Amino acid sequence: MNLNTFVMTYNNTTVGDGECVALIKLYEDEVLGFTQYFGLPYAYQYFTSYPTNQGLQNHYDRYFFTDGLPAPGDIVVYDSNTGGGAGHVSIVYLNPTSSGFTGFDQNWSTPGKCHIESHTYNHALGFLRPKGSPGPEPPEPGTGEGSKNNYKKWLFSKRRTIYLSWHKLKNKI
């Protein structure tokens, strides 16, 4: 099953216990082909537990928004300031830009139901991309203040990485 078929099949329905993580588990099974679940009780832990969760590391690459923009099929993870402390996870469905995206969610604007939703990155920690997918594209400079800041952060991050790599190499010579 592909992302579009998944969204059309489950839009306006309830899956599992009606929580956002239940939708992600179904997406991982039906679209991504994962058979392993990661034992995470809260949505925000999809991002915060990544450094110590081998299952997440085996199936996803983790990115911050300074690395670039998410793409359709990625999972954006929101912090514990959302979802009553549990956080939230959303599947990027359409139109990711530096200011937001259209996602497919369960239990966001309509309790216990799956819906296509508009999102910003407010309280978002970053995003997960299935292993083997190309890395994120850099954010576009854009015209809005937020998009300019995202691009500047990305550019600074890449320049810093290049400088640190060069500096380590120089000290080894």
Side-chain angles (χ1 to χ4, degrees):
M1 180 179 291
N2 65 31
L3 175 60
N4 194 51
T5 302
F6 182 81
V7 171
M8 293 304 114
T9 300
Y10 294 106
N11 195 28
N12 295 315
T13 68
T14 299
V15 300
D17 62 3
E19 296 293 339
C20 60
V21 172
L23 179 65
I24 297 302
K25 287 179 181 178
L26 187 63
Y27 172 71
E28 289 171 337
D29 180 45
E30 292 192 3
V31 177
L32 301 178
F34 298 173
T35 56
Q36 175 184 12
Y37 299 106
F38 311 114
L40 305 170
Y42 299 111
Y44 73 85
Q45 291 175 321
Y46 263 77
F47 201 80
T48 61
S49 295
Y50 185 90
T52 58
N53 188 307
Q54 193 63 51
L56 285 172
Q57 293 173 21
N58 289 342
H59 290 84
Y60 290 108
D61 291 317
R62 182 176 80 155
Y63 295 101
F64 294 90
F65 295 108
T66 54
D67 297 320
L69 296 174
D74 290 350
I75 297 171
V76 174
V77 183
Y78 290 84
D79 68 19
S80 61
N81 290 309
T82 58
H88 185 70
V89 283
S90 175
I91 304 164
V92 177
Y93 182 47
L94 299 168
N95 308 320
T97 67
S98 58
S99 59
F101 64 98
T102 301
F104 187 58
D105 304 59
Q106 181 164 249
N107 203 31
W108 185 249
S109 65
T110 305
K113 291 280 189 186
C114 298
H115 280 285
I116 298 169
E117 309 278 353
S118 294
H119 284 279
T120 67
Y121 300 115
N122 190 31
H123 293 290
L125 296 167
F127 58 97
L128 301 175
R129 178 166 291 174
K131 283 278 190 203
S133 301
E137 293 292 321
E140 295 180 20
T143 56
E145 185 177 325
S147 60
K148 284 183 182 178
N149 288 338
N150 283 343
Y151 182 74
K152 287 177 185 176
K153 287 177 188 175
W154 176 84
L155 191 58
F156 174 78
S157 170
K158 295 305 168 198
R159 286 180 179 163
R160 184 174 185 275
T161 301
I162 292 167
Y163 171 78
L164 291 175
S165 298
W166 172 81
H167 191 68
K168 283 181 183 177
L169 180 64
K170 182 180 140 197
N171 288 335
K172 288 182 179 181
I173 296 177

